[in-house]
Amino acid sequence: MNGRDINALIEFIGSELSEELDSPRIAVMGGSCNYSFSSVSKLLNITTFRWRATLAHYSSKLRCAIANFGIGKFVTFRENTAPVRHTMRRLQYGDESDPVIRTFLEHISSLNNVEKTSVPLFIMHCENDTRVTVHETVAMYRIVQGRPGERAQMVICEAKDTICFGLGYKQKCVIEYTCAVVVERLTGVLIIIGN
């Protein structure tokens, strides 16, 4: 699914699914390995880059965004990757030592495109994530929170309380907590009582 597909989906929700879905109440949610496109209760899974690109390019059509384990900068993500994963990451994202690839990765990185976002951002991350370090999340939060009028919230689950392998939380209590926080956040932003 590319950017044109995302835009077409947003337009389709507004024109063809207006009885089922409310197009002014669309949220985007994603993480290091997944993506969800939500209009109150409908979800579509895509890739890590695509949800952040959706946030950057279609922010005016969204109500809010939720980030889980999100890559802020592909170059620092690659540089901070455990040595055992270097070969696999280069296959997935390109060789960051190649100047052309490095420039492209910098260009598409969400931390370098954060000025294009204009919706409230809710960020969740695990302190001991071995694939996407918590520094990526903190950097995104600081940039968004530092802008006048911007709203950002962040939850970081501490290492001593959380088992995390980079793709998500593994403990039932942490999964339940983070799911409840997401539901509360989406409810507060997407659902307006009386409308």
Side-chain angles (χ1 to χ4, degrees):
M1 184 171 273
N2 63 39
R4 289 184 301 257
D5 294 334
I6 296 291
N7 190 48
L9 178 59
I10 293 170
E11 297 297 324
F12 184 76
I13 288 171
S15 63
E16 303 296 324
L17 296 176
S18 60
E19 294 295 318
E20 295 87 9
L21 302 173
D22 191 353
S23 63
R25 298 181 194 185
I26 295 175
V28 64
M29 182 171 102
S32 65
C33 293
N34 67 357
Y35 166 97
S36 297
F37 182 84
S38 170
S39 179
V40 182
S41 64
K42 305 294 181 184
L43 297 174
L44 174 66
N45 287 327
I46 309 177
T47 65
T48 181
F49 166 71
R50 183 50 43 210
W51 88 264
R52 293 226 187 219
T54 300
L55 179 58
H57 296 292
Y58 303 107
S59 195
S60 65
K61 298 179 179 186
L62 302 172
R63 183 69 67 92
C64 71
I66 297 176
N68 295 298
F69 304 89
I71 298 168
K73 279 191 162 191
F74 286 99
V75 171
T76 57
F77 164 68
R78 282 286 302 113
E79 291 171 347
N80 293 325
T81 295
V84 71
R85 293 194 174 102
H86 279 202
T87 301
M88 184 176 65
R89 293 292 182 250
R90 284 199 170 120
L91 290 173
Q92 286 179 303
Y93 300 105
D95 185 352
E96 78 288 351
S97 65
D98 178 328
V100 173
I101 299 295
R102 187 179 192 90
T103 299
F104 175 73
L105 291 173
E106 289 288 352
H107 174 72
I108 65 170
S109 291
S110 58
L111 282 171
N112 295 334
N113 290 289
V114 74
E115 76 282 350
K116 297 176 183 175
T117 66
S118 60
V119 296
L121 181 61
F122 182 69
I123 306 168
M124 292 189 301
H125 208 95
C126 179
E127 185 178 47
N128 64 346
D129 188 343
T130 59
R131 297 183 185 184
V132 180
T133 66
V134 72
H135 303 93
E136 301 281 328
T137 293
V138 173
M140 182 66 136
Y141 172 78
R142 285 182 177 155
I143 290 170
V144 174
Q145 191 63 15
R147 296 187 321 201
E150 291 299 323
R151 294 172 290 171
Q153 294 177 322
M154 181 171 58
V155 170
I156 296 179
C157 296
E158 295 179 5
K160 64 183 172 88
D161 299 327
T162 308
I163 299 170
C164 171
F165 299 106
L167 299 175
Y169 304 106
K170 303 300 177 192
Q171 292 167 298
K172 186 175 186 272
C173 63
V174 176
I175 293 168
E176 289 172 348
Y177 171 74
T178 56
C179 286
V181 170
V182 168
V183 168
E184 184 275 330
R185 180 70 176 153
L186 289 174
T187 300
V189 176
L190 297 180
I191 299 173
I192 300 169
I193 306 302
N195 279 343

